Amino acid sequence: MALSSDTLEKLRGFLGAANVLTSKEDLIAYSFDGTAALTQMPGCVVFATTSRQVGDVLRLANEQRIPVVTRGSGTGLSGGSLPSPDCIVLCTVRMNRILEVDRANLTVLVEPGVTTLQVADAATAVGLFYPPDPGSMKISTIGGNVAENSGGLRGLKYGITRNYVMGLEVVLPDGEVLWTGNKCVKDVAGYSLRDLFIGSEGTLGVITQVLLKLIPKPAAKKTMVATYSAMDAAAQTVSDIIAAQIIPCTLEFLDRTTIHCVEDYAKVGLPLDCEALLLMETDGHPAAVEDEAAKMVELAKKNGAMEVRIAKDDDEATKLAAARRSAFSALARVAPTTILEDATVPRSELARMIRFVEAVAKKHRLRIGTFGHMGDGNLHPTFLTDERNHEEMKRVHEAFKEIFDEAIRLGGTITGEHGVGVAKKDFLPKFAGAAQMRVMRELRRALDPRGILNPGKMFD
Ligand SMILES: Cc1cc2nc3c(=O)[nH]c(=O)nc-3n(C[C@H](O)[C@H](O)[C@H](O)COP(=O)(O)OP(=O)(O)OC[C@H]3O[C@@H](n4cnc5c(N)ncnc54)[C@H](O)[C@@H]3O)c2cc1C
C-alpha cells in the first residue's frame, strides 16, 4: 500500500520538506543498490541528520507498520539496501560528521554517513591508521561497513570492520536509543550487543554513531607483484607464505580475464602474458619489511613465478593497489550485467576451489573473471552476463548454487564479506543449520517484533 499523505506530512514535519523525496524520478535513483538485476521502487526516501530524527521516523513507522530500509551509499553487493515495496528508505549520508578524534585513547567517533575514506583520512591526519579498506572505500559509508561487517584488502593482517568497532549508538525499531561499548580496551559487562549489531545488515536497528579504534601507522611498506603461468602456482605461493608464518598486509590475486580487463581500464602496465597475478604487500618495522619481502620473493620464485616486480616507490605501489581495487569496475565494463560473488574457503582449499569455479563456468558455458582476497580464502567469482538473457541467467544461478554448495562442502562460507541480503538468503539455512536459524529468527523478533526493519533480508 502506498504511503498516505498523512504519513508523508508527518515525515516532512520531522525532517523538513527538503529531506523527503517522493517524485518518481528521485525514487528511481534509490530503487537499487550495487547488486545486479535487483530493483524495487520505495514509497519515499528520507534523509535524517540526527539520531533523534531517526528515532522519530522509526517510531512512526513502527506505529504504522511501515517497512524501513536503512541505506548508506547503496554500494552493497547482496541487495541489503534494496527497497521493500512502498517502504521508507532511510538514508544516512547526511549524518556525515566526524565528532571526535581522541589521540589519548586512539579512537575516532563518527556519524554513520561518513565515508570509509574520510575515516582513514582523519586517522592519517593525526599520524594514526584505520586499516579496513573495502574496494568501495571512497564512497561506502561507515554505517554500511558496520552493518555488513565489511572486509578489505588489508584484512589478512589487520582484520575487518568488527575488529575496529569499540562502540555503537543504535536506534531500535521502536525509536529507543541504545549505546553499546565504550573506549575501554576491556569490557565484559553483559552480552556484547555491539557484536550483535555488527553485520546485522539493517535488520536489528539503525546505527547512528560509531566509535572506532585507530592504531599506529606502520613505518614502512613494500609492494610486489608476481605473475604465474598457472593458477595453482599462485595459490601454492599463498599457502607457502602463510606456512612460513609471514602475515602480509595484502595478498590479492587476479585471474587472466580480470588482469586483461583491469589493464584495459587502468593502464598500469600489468603483464598480460600470464594466467594469474598476485599482489603482495608487507608493512611494519623497516627491517621486518625487508626480511619478509625477501622471503616472499623467494617463495614466489620457488613456485615458478614468471616475474616478480617490486614497486620502486610509493607512487608505483599506490598504482598497483589501485589496479586491484578497480577489478570490479573493470570487469563491469565488458558485459551488460556483472554478478560478483564472494565464496570463501579455508586457505588450504583455495586451489581446489579455484579449479572448481573454472570447471563450473566451463560446464555452464559462462564467462567468468575471478579475483579476490587470496590470503583470506575469499574469492570473487564474477559472472559477465546479461540479465535480459533469461536462459543464460538460469545457467548463472545454477553455477552459483554449485559454487556455494562446494564452498560449504570444503568447510567455507557463502559470503566472506558482502553479506546475505536478498542475494544469498536461499543459501543461509543450508549453511547455518536449524539451530542457528532459530536463534537468529528469535533475536530478530525480540528486537523488532513488528518486523519493520529491512523485511525479507537475510531470512523471511
Ligand atoms: C566496487 C565495489 C567494491 C567493493 N569492495 C568491497 C570490499 O572490498 N569488501 C567488502 O566487504 N565489501 C565491498 N563492497 C560492498 C559494499 O561496498 C560494502 O558492503 C559496504 O560496506 C556498503 O556500504 P554502503 O554505505 O554502500 O551501504 P549500503 O549498500 O547502503 O547498505 C548495506 C547494508 O547495510 C545496511 N545499513 C547501511 N547503513 C546502515 C546504518 N547506519 N544502520 C544500519 N544498517 C545500515 C543497509 O540496510 C544494507 O543492509 C564493494 C562494493 C563495490 C560496488
Side-chain angles (χ1 to χ4, degrees), residues 60-285:
L60 176 73
N62 203 39
E63 273 163 28
Q64 302 193 0
R65 295 176 186 259
I66 303 168
V68 177
V69 176
T70 312
R71 183 183 176 101
S73 291
T75 65
L77 293 172
S78 56
S81 55
L82 179 78
S84 308
D86 294 321
C87 73
I88 299 173
V89 167
L90 173 56
C91 197
T92 61
V93 291
R94 294 183 189 167
M95 299 178 80
N96 56 4
R97 289 177 305 155
I98 293 177
L99 300 170
E100 180 197 63
V101 180
D102 181 345
R103 296 169 75 168
N105 284 303
L106 307 186
T107 60
V108 58
L109 178 67
V110 298
E111 291 185 326
V114 171
T115 65
T116 323
L117 184 63
Q118 285 166 337
V119 173
D121 286 347
T124 308
V126 293
L128 291 169
F129 186 34
Y130 178 69
D133 59 341
S136 52
M137 69 184 294
K138 280 189 189 166
I139 49 167
S140 64
T141 65
I142 206 72
N145 289 178
V146 175
E148 295 287 358
N149 191 16
S150 296
L153 275 62
R154 302 187 191 115
L156 174 60
K157 178 169 178 179
Y158 290 105
I160 53 179
T161 304
R162 182 185 298 283
N163 306 110
Y164 295 85
V165 178
M166 296 186 78
L168 292 175
E169 182 187 79
V170 181
V171 183
L172 299 173
D174 62 2
E176 188 177 5
V177 180
L178 169 151
W179 242 110
T180 168
N182 48 52
K183 290 182 183 175
C184 298
V185 173
K186 295 166 100 179
D187 170 16
V188 293
Y191 294 141
S192 178
L193 296 183
R194 174 189 62 187
D195 282 295
L196 179 63
F197 288 107
I198 300 168
S200 63
E201 300 189 19
T203 62
L204 301 181
V206 179
I207 298 157
T208 44
Q209 281 187 22
V210 187
L211 179 69
L212 293 164
K213 175 171 89 173
L214 304 176
I215 62 171
K217 207 169 165 45
K221 184 167 90 173
K222 217 161 199 142
T223 304
M224 292 148 284
V225 165
T227 50
Y228 298 85
S229 58
M231 183 65 82
D232 274 19
Q236 192 56 49
T237 305
V238 171
S239 300
D240 288 356
I241 288 173
I242 304 291
Q245 299 180 14
I246 298 171
I247 304 295
C249 66
T250 301
L251 206 41
E252 298 283 311
F253 95 104
L254 309 179
D255 73 354
R256 184 184 182 81
T257 305
T258 314
I259 295 165
H260 281 252
C261 291
V262 166
E263 184 52 24
D264 200 35
Y265 174 67
K267 310 228 174 339
V268 283
L270 296 181
L272 296 175
D273 58 345
C274 57
E275 287 300 316
L277 178 153
L278 274 188
L279 171 71
M280 309 182 285
E281 285 188 311
T282 163
D283 67 1
H285 186 281

Side-chain angles (χ1 to χ4, degrees), residues 25-42 71 73-76 79-83 89:
E25 294 76 4
D26 283 334
L27 299 190
I28 287 172
Y30 293 87
S31 65
F32 55 91
D33 67 2
T35 322
L38 296 174
T39 59
Q40 174 63 57
M41 287 291 270
R71 183 183 176 101
S73 291
T75 65
S81 55
L82 179 78
V89 167

Side-chain angles (χ1 to χ4, degrees), residues 17 55 73 122-123 173 231 243 261 279 316 334 339 364 368 378 410 428 440:
S73 291
M231 183 65 82
C261 291
L279 171 71
E316 191 179 351
V334 302
I339 306 188
H364 292 285
I368 192 166
N378 184 191
L410 293 175
L428 187 63
M440 286 195 280

